[in-house]
Amino acid sequence: MPYIATSDGAQIFYKDWGSGRPVVFSHGWPLNADAWDGQMMLLASQGFRAVAHDRRGHGRSTQTWSGNDMDTYADDLAELMDQLGLTDAVLVGHSTGGGEVTRYLGRHGTSRVSKAVLAGAVPPLMLKTDANPEGTPRGMFDEIRAGLLADRSQYYRNLSGPFYGANRPGSKVSDGLREQFWRLSMQAGLKAAYDCVREFSETDFTEDLKRIDIPVFVAHGDADQIVPIQAAALKSVRLLKNASLKVYPGAPHGISGTYEAAFNADLLAFVQD
């Protein structure tokens, strides 16, 4: 299987499908690159090179004890880009992956990147503070950490409900999709998953967003129960220099079903433009 070695010795697994202009995907917590298979299949079939990696501590990458922080995630992405020689790339990040993409662009610049997509992304800041009253109270993130330590397997099964909106009336979310969420989540190391809660909830991406000088497509469902749109996409577009916003009515956090079909069409149009 293909891996790169980072400067601290971690092995980062990646998938590399097709050829052409690279589109690089960063996954959400606590999943891995397989969460992007549908989008990778679509773009690789349309003449693009689709690349996705497992974040350190997740999936097939090294389960590091330390380094489970947003700066290191961004540095790992930079090493992947450098070692694969990717240029004129489009970066696509979902949820925590959207934070990783944002921190990469703020920390490493845009010399290798021409466009970016933030879908259901955590920037600018998830945590509720005096300056961010629309955010999520810290107690909710403490409950996530407690759930991981007590019984992470059951916690992930429960989380798949609000993640895909399966707890909403009229939901058509399949059992298979929820089981896939559980399967990918259980491949993440407990320490990495635990540490990442702090990173996606407490990292402030405001200054990173302000530094980004390339076109950014911001996509978000207005029924997102995990990363509410009011504290995320609606704020990010005001901080970005060149952003377009697409709000998907009734869409949950997880990209699936009719939301996925609409997002895929918009993603393809954005990368082809």
Side-chain angles (χ1 to χ4, degrees), residues 25-235:
F25 294 89
S26 292
H27 63 80
W29 177 91
L31 305 175
N32 61 49
D34 291 357
W36 286 115
D37 275 3
Q39 289 69 39
M40 292 184 67
M41 182 78 170
L42 170 68
L43 294 181
S45 299
Q46 293 293 322
F48 293 91
R49 181 182 179 183
V51 178
H53 66 291
D54 292 352
R55 185 172 301 117
R56 64 169 57 216
H58 298 65
R60 292 141 291 198
S61 293
T62 303
Q63 292 192 10
T64 53
W65 180 258
S66 58
N68 304 309
D69 59 83
M70 198 59 66
D71 285 350
T72 305
Y73 300 157
D75 292 348
D76 289 347
L77 177 56
E79 294 205 53
L80 177 73
M81 299 280 287
D82 292 347
Q83 292 188 38
L84 296 186
L86 304 180
T87 58
D88 191 29
V90 180
L91 298 186
V92 184
H94 174 248
S95 194
T96 300
E100 178 180 291
V101 165
T102 301
R103 178 53 52 88
Y104 168 88
L105 293 171
R107 187 172 171 88
H108 295 278
T110 57
S111 62
R112 291 185 175 272
V113 184
S114 55
K115 293 181 179 180
V117 178
L118 302 178
V122 298
L125 174 63
M126 281 195 73
L127 185 68
K128 182 177 182 178
T129 64
D130 290 342
N132 187 42
E134 300 85 3
T136 302
R138 184 180 298 274
M140 296 294 292
F141 302 114
D142 290 339
E143 289 179 10
I144 295 174
R145 284 182 277 257
L148 293 177
L149 294 179
D151 185 347
R152 67 186 176 117
S153 182
Q154 188 60 51
Y155 180 81
Y156 291 144
R157 287 198 184 278
N158 295 343
L159 180 61
S160 68
F163 192 94
Y164 290 111
N167 58 344
R168 293 287 173 84
S171 168
K172 297 181 180 179
V173 177
S174 70
D175 290 341
L177 182 62
R178 297 187 64 175
E179 289 168 3
Q180 170 76 338
F181 178 90
W182 174 85
R183 185 182 72 85
L184 299 186
S185 299
M186 287 300 292
Q187 293 176 36
L190 177 58
K191 178 62 160 57
Y194 186 92
D195 288 353
C196 194
V197 176
R198 178 191 63 240
E199 298 307 309
F200 71 65
S201 64
E202 298 184 29
T203 302
D204 189 339
F205 299 95
T206 299
E207 296 306 314
D208 300 292
L209 291 165
K210 291 178 179 179
R211 294 188 188 104
I212 298 172
D213 57 2
I214 55 174
V216 181
F217 174 51
V218 180
H220 216 111
D222 66 4
D224 192 325
Q225 301 170 67
I226 307 298
V227 182
I229 191 172
Q230 291 80 8
L234 299 186
K235 288 191 170 185

Side-chain angles (χ1 to χ4, degrees), residues 116-121 123 215-222 229-230 232-238 240 242-249 259 266 270:
V117 178
L118 302 178
V216 181
F217 174 51
V218 180
H220 216 111
D222 66 4
I229 191 172
Q230 291 80 8
L234 299 186
K235 288 191 170 185
S236 289
V237 294
R238 296 199 295 268
L240 290 160
N242 185 1
S244 57
L245 172 66
K246 176 69 176 287
V247 178
Y248 297 83
Y259 174 25
D266 293 335
F270 182 71

